[in-house]
Amino acid sequence: MADTVVAEGMDSPNQMDTSSTLAVPAPAEPEDSTSVDDPTSIEDATVSAETPEAQFWATLKENPSDFDTWVKLLQIVEQQDKTFAAREAFDAFLQQFPYCYGYWKKYADYEQRQSGNETAKEVYRRGLTAVPLSVDLWLQYATFIEQTSKSSDLEKVGEVQA
């Protein structure tokens, strides 16, 4: 992990140290054992070379610090409602730009819609581990916990766990 201190509100790669390069994974195909009913089936990971998604991945393979292309890719995979492709894109993006706390929130919101509260909570925890000094991310996480927990659970816990 770099010793570089980065401002919380950063949403551009120009504000980060991008001296280390990251290998951008090409969309991987899940194991053959996935079923047709599985939301992360092979159809989710198979990307035709003509699709904008494939073009964005190709661009990112050449230049993994191209923030605008990452944003376009994330918009596409979110709209397509393909869980495997979205997770792959969010994970790769956040590996490249872990201090973009707003995208941790977007990823958690996406997971909450797709998989439920526990998966969203795990995304928040990963984000808070990556950006522990982000007041905004902590507030978003606290709001999430408050909205998704029963009032009796909150009284028992007494504190938000990260």
Side-chain angles (χ1 to χ4, degrees), residues 28-42:
E29 295 185 19
E31 296 176 9
D32 293 334
S33 63
T34 57
S35 70
V36 176
D37 297 330
D38 185 351
T40 60
S41 67
I42 189 114

Side-chain angles (χ1 to χ4, degrees), residues 27 29 55 60 64 79 89 94 103 105 120 136 138 150-151:
E29 295 185 19
Q55 293 170 358
L60 291 169
Q79 291 170 356
L94 290 166
Y103 285 90
K105 166 92 168 88
D136 290 328
W138 276 106
K150 299 174 188 166
S151 61

Side-chain angles (χ1 to χ4, degrees), residues 29-154:
E29 295 185 19
E31 296 176 9
D32 293 334
S33 63
T34 57
S35 70
V36 176
D37 297 330
D38 185 351
T40 60
S41 67
I42 189 114
E43 296 163 1
D44 287 345
T46 304
V47 179
S48 169
E50 295 82 38
T51 67
E53 182 182 351
Q55 293 170 358
F56 292 143
W57 278 114
T59 300
L60 291 169
K61 203 169 200 175
E62 295 295 318
N63 182 9
S65 59
D66 184 347
F67 189 82
D68 293 333
T69 301
W70 278 111
V71 171
K72 291 172 187 174
L73 174 64
L74 292 175
Q75 288 172 344
I76 284 179
V77 296
E78 254 188 305
Q79 291 170 356
Q80 290 176 342
D81 199 27
K82 294 182 178 181
T83 305
F84 181 82
R87 284 179 179 156
E88 188 173 46
F90 271 109
D91 287 339
F93 170 82
L94 290 166
Q95 184 177 8
Q96 182 71 18
F97 302 105
Y99 297 114
C100 292
Y101 64 84
Y103 285 90
W104 286 105
K105 166 92 168 88
K106 276 184 91 140
Y107 190 11
D109 290 345
Y110 177 83
E111 286 293 356
Q112 186 178 22
R113 288 189 307 273
Q114 298 299 314
S115 303
N117 294 338
E118 286 304 312
T119 309
K121 185 186 290 187
E122 183 57 35
V123 170
Y124 273 116
R125 288 181 176 163
R126 287 177 49 208
L128 291 168
T129 299
V131 194
L133 299 178
S134 173
V135 174
D136 290 328
L137 191 56
W138 276 106
L139 288 172
Q140 292 165 355
Y141 178 61
T143 300
F144 167 79
I145 293 296
E146 183 180 46
Q147 291 172 349
T148 59
S149 298
K150 299 174 188 166
S151 61
S152 60
D153 290 345
L154 289 176

